[in-house]
Amino acid sequence: IRDKAGRGKGAGGKKDDAVTFDTREYRFAGYMRKLKEKIESIWQYPPEALSKGLYGDLRVRFTIMKNGRLGSVELERTSGYKVLDDAALKALKDGEPYWPLPDDWGMESYTVRGQFVYTLSGYGLR
């Protein structure tokens, strides 16, 4: 569940502070577009998973620190396949450092909730 700004809602519809890749909130949209593009350029569908016909989607919650370094990374929901989960988490870690957070955001860290989707015809972030 997401609000109009692309912020996630936790259990029971309770709002949390995570922003999704498809946020419409103007101040975050440009940064999120660049972040999504960078992660997708690194992320790869594991060839052994593709050859076995494995597909699924997983949810990850991660934090980017003020200096652009990756903070906490949490697998919120598995795809059901460790090889797919590991490839997504590896892409996040291999992508750092990310860009420092803009000073005008007034934030020490930025939490993102992303969905990594693997299909037999391709893969992408939401």
Side-chain angles (χ1 to χ4, degrees):
I1 301 173
R2 296 181 202 143
D3 67 11
K4 290 179 183 174
R7 292 185 187 270
K9 293 185 181 184
K14 193 174 176 183
K15 197 170 185 178
D16 68 22
D17 62 345
V19 177
T20 60
F21 284 107
D22 62 352
T23 185
R24 293 185 186 130
E25 194 168 338
Y26 180 76
R27 72 178 178 151
F28 299 132
Y31 188 95
M32 291 302 288
R33 186 176 58 253
K34 287 187 347 183
L35 182 65
K36 180 179 178 181
E37 288 170 0
K38 183 171 186 177
I39 294 167
E40 284 182 332
S41 74
I42 296 166
W43 179 34
Q44 296 182 10
Y45 204 132
E48 67 276 15
L50 190 56
S51 68
K52 291 178 182 176
L54 303 181
Y55 61 91
D57 65 285
L58 59 124
R59 284 213 167 93
V60 177
R61 181 184 179 98
F62 62 97
T63 302
I64 297 178
M65 307 308 292
K66 173 82 173 140
N67 64 2
R69 300 302 300 184
L70 196 58
S72 65
V73 176
E74 175 188 353
L75 180 62
E76 287 190 320
R77 189 188 75 213
T78 180
S79 66
Y81 299 102
K82 185 175 182 341
V83 65
L84 298 180
D85 297 347
D86 288 350
L89 296 173
K90 182 179 184 331
L92 277 177
K93 293 173 184 165
D94 289 351
E96 75 170 325
Y98 296 102
W99 302 272
L101 302 182
D103 290 332
D104 62 347
W105 286 9
M107 301 167 79
E108 291 303 310
S109 65
Y110 182 65
T111 302
V112 179
R113 176 177 282 138
Q115 183 178 10
F116 289 73
V117 180
Y118 294 92
T119 67
L120 297 180
S121 60
Y123 53 104
L125 283 170
R126 292 186 193 154

